Amino acid sequence: MKEIILINLSGPDQSGVTSSVTAILAKHGVNILDIGQAVIHNALALGILAEFSDNDSWPALKEVLFRANELGFQSRFSPVSADSYQEWVADKGKDRHIVTLLARKITAEHISRVSSIIAQYNLNIDNISRLSGRVGIDSEESNKSCVELSIRGESTDLADLKAKFLEISSELELDIAVQKDDMYRRTRRLVCFDMDSTLIEAEVIDELAIEAGIGDQVAEITEQAMQGKIDFDESFRRRVALLKGLDESVLERVAERLKLTEGAEQLLHMLNTLGYKTAILSGGFTYFARHLQKKLKIDYVHANELDIQDGKVTGEVKGVIVNGERKAELLKEIAHHEGIKLDQVIAVGDGANDLPMLSIAGLGIAFRAKPLVRESAKHAISNLGLDAILYLIGMRDRDESPFQPK
């Protein structure tokens, strides 16, 4: 009869621990059913679920015990019953999700509150990993932290779980993303961005209005539109009409002073390095989107064409307005053209007019968004920069290629 033993070893991290222990097990013809190893601050923990075919595990375990003592390790051997093992095997069919925690600093309270909610929904945490880099105690080098939890189980209401996370996220200044752990999470291929207040820290139409001396009027309409209080098309036409007579030279002046959002350059640098396709789908203006396209090496640009005649803004736009529904259509068109499934698309935006594209993308992210948008989107990032999106596709800081802003 076969015997199953769970072997747990813990001690100071050093070279050769795993090889020497498995060499002993190999000599005794042991089958490895599962294995896991982790190192935290030079402390190594190794677990091996071992199957002994001859029902006599002691000779091998005695050798492991002696070798562990030589290495300065503590050992624990736990028999596993056939029923317990079969129950463990059956768990492989349960849903798995990745919970990503994003904050300037991850605290014990963050982990405690999140893990408590996970337990309330009868979900198990299989693994916890730090994706952000190591930082010295007094170092100012990094202002972002990320911890990823792999959870398993059948939650009766995943939407309710996400709602609980949303409740505590503002209180704790913590972003919490929940993604199904499937092949699409690891194979995203297209990222579509809103422009204003997403890739850049301003609403361009507000900046143009300031130049025209009507800043307060336009800003008020913009705010109502972003909160979803008035129809985007109506608000857009009203705002553009107020720009009538603005000199064309103002556009270049405004474009030169636009400030990129925190993490935008690093994110686009990495996406380009990894071969992602990128797009700007904006309710703003093409002139400024093209400016960003050149700077950030973005593949596609779709925005509104501001009508200019005799060097003056006419107060109208050319063609179809890029509103929320049009953004979603454009996202689908680009994905189809590139042969990319919607589950492999990431969409990022901050306003109510971004919700249609956020809802159809595999990973829809409300970035520093208004409450209505944050509550309606599948995921939200409010506390870090755009480069935090790299964590949501499983990247670690150590994976990132060096980047120096121009």
Side-chain angles (χ1 to χ4, degrees):
M1 183 177 178
K2 295 180 180 180
E3 185 179 10
I4 299 174
I5 303 292
L6 176 60
I7 302 170
N8 291 110
L9 306 175
S10 59
D13 185 30
Q14 54 193 286
S15 177
V17 174
T18 304
S19 63
S20 61
V21 171
T22 53
I24 294 170
L25 298 178
K27 185 175 67 173
H28 290 268
V30 173
N31 183 30
I32 303 296
L33 301 176
D34 196 17
I35 186 168
Q37 180 172 304
V39 176
I40 299 179
H41 191 60
N42 298 323
L44 184 151
L46 172 63
I48 300 174
L49 190 61
E51 179 187 41
F52 297 82
S53 59
D54 57 4
N55 197 29
D56 186 11
S57 59
W58 177 238
L61 295 181
K62 182 169 62 174
E63 286 190 49
V64 171
L65 177 62
F66 288 156
R67 180 58 180 148
N69 286 337
E70 290 174 355
L71 295 170
F73 270 65
Q74 293 182 332
S75 309
R76 187 172 73 252
F77 308 126
S78 306
V80 176
S81 68
D83 289 343
S84 177
Y85 177 73
Q86 289 303 324
E87 183 179 344
W88 174 76
V89 171
D91 274 351
K92 71 179 181 181
K94 291 185 178 180
D95 289 340
R96 293 180 179 274
H97 290 80
I98 298 296
V99 178
T100 309
L101 311 185
L102 303 163
R104 297 297 175 181
K105 288 187 177 181
I106 299 294
T107 69
E109 184 177 10
H110 290 154
I111 304 295
S112 172
R113 296 284 292 277
V114 169
S115 59
S116 175
I117 292 173
I118 291 172
Q120 289 173 26
Y121 286 82
N122 297 316
L123 299 169
N124 291 332
I125 300 174
D126 280 344
N127 187 56
I128 302 177
S129 301
R130 172 178 50 82
L131 303 189
S132 49
R134 299 179 183 180
V135 180
I137 294 176
D138 299 319
S139 174
E140 298 296 329
E141 177 183 345
S142 177
N143 63 347
K144 58 181 182 178
S145 295
C146 175
V147 169
E148 182 182 271
L149 290 73
S150 175
I151 64 174
R152 166 179 46 84
E154 298 174 358
S155 174
T156 55
D157 194 342
L158 196 61
D160 191 47
L161 171 71
K162 292 181 178 181
K164 291 286 187 184
F165 285 154
L166 186 62
E167 287 178 12
I168 67 171
S169 62
S170 296
E171 175 191 346
L172 299 178
E173 296 184 344
L174 172 72
D175 295 320
I176 310 169
V178 181
Q179 300 180 69
K180 189 172 182 179
D181 190 9
D182 57 18
M183 65 178 183
Y184 294 118
R185 186 186 75 88
R186 300 182 292 275
T187 57
R188 310 291 187 196
R189 293 177 55 199
L190 168 66
V191 187
C192 297
F193 297 94
D194 174 44
M195 179 174 67
D196 297 37
S197 297
T198 300
L199 279 177
I200 56 175
E201 292 187 349
E203 294 287 331
V204 167
I205 199 167
D206 291 351
E207 297 299 310
L208 294 175
I210 291 172
E211 294 287 339
I214 52 169
D216 291 342
Q217 293 173 257
V218 169
E220 182 179 349
I221 300 172
T222 299
E223 182 65 19
Q224 291 176 338
M226 290 299 99
Q227 292 187 12
K229 294 181 179 179
I230 58 176
D231 174 73
F232 179 82
D233 287 15
E234 175 194 348
S235 70
F236 186 70
R237 293 190 187 280
R238 283 169 54 186
R239 287 177 288 169
V240 173
L242 291 171
L243 298 177
K244 184 177 180 179
L246 186 67
D247 194 275
E248 183 180 13
S249 63
V250 171
L251 275 65
E252 182 177 357
R253 187 160 67 242
V254 170
E256 290 300 324
R257 73 169 184 244
L258 292 177
K259 185 178 179 182
L260 289 170
T261 300
E262 175 193 359
E265 286 184 283
Q266 175 66 18
L267 172 61
L268 267 298
H269 168 71
M270 285 305 305
L271 293 177
N272 289 326
T273 300
L274 295 170
Y276 278 69
K277 293 296 181 180
T278 54
I280 291 176
L281 306 180
S282 173
F285 300 115
T286 303
Y287 180 92
F288 303 95
R290 295 289 184 199
H291 178 79
L292 288 179
Q293 181 181 32
K294 182 178 180 181
K295 185 178 181 68
L296 299 174
K297 299 180 180 179
I298 290 172
D299 297 296
Y300 294 90
V301 162
H302 293 279
N304 297 299
E305 190 70 39
L306 192 60
D307 187 45
I308 298 174
Q309 295 183 17
D310 300 323
K312 300 289 184 181
V313 174
T314 67
E316 298 181 358
V317 292
K318 299 177 182 178
V320 179
I321 292 177
V322 180
N323 56 20
E325 290 69 29
R326 181 60 180 151
K327 287 186 178 187
E329 291 173 5
L330 289 166
L331 183 150
K332 290 179 182 178
E333 289 176 10
I334 295 171
H336 178 73
H337 177 73
E338 293 288 347
I340 296 171
K341 294 181 179 293
L342 291 180
D343 284 326
Q344 295 176 284
V345 179
I346 300 172
V348 190
D350 73 298
N353 64 319
D354 294 311
L355 283 174
M357 73 171 182
L358 298 186
S359 67
I360 64 171
L363 180 59
I365 302 170
F367 180 74
R368 297 183 181 177
K370 302 294 188 295
L372 170 67
V373 182
R374 192 168 63 247
E375 292 167 9
S376 301
K378 299 174 188 175
H379 309 281
I381 294 177
S382 301
N383 297 290
L384 298 183
L386 278 173
D387 54 342
I389 292 172
L390 294 171
Y391 293 134
L392 299 187
I393 60 175
M395 285 196 63
R396 300 172 181 268
D397 282 355
R398 65 170 182 258
D399 299 327
E400 298 183 25
S401 63
F403 169 70
Q404 293 297 329
K406 296 180 180 178

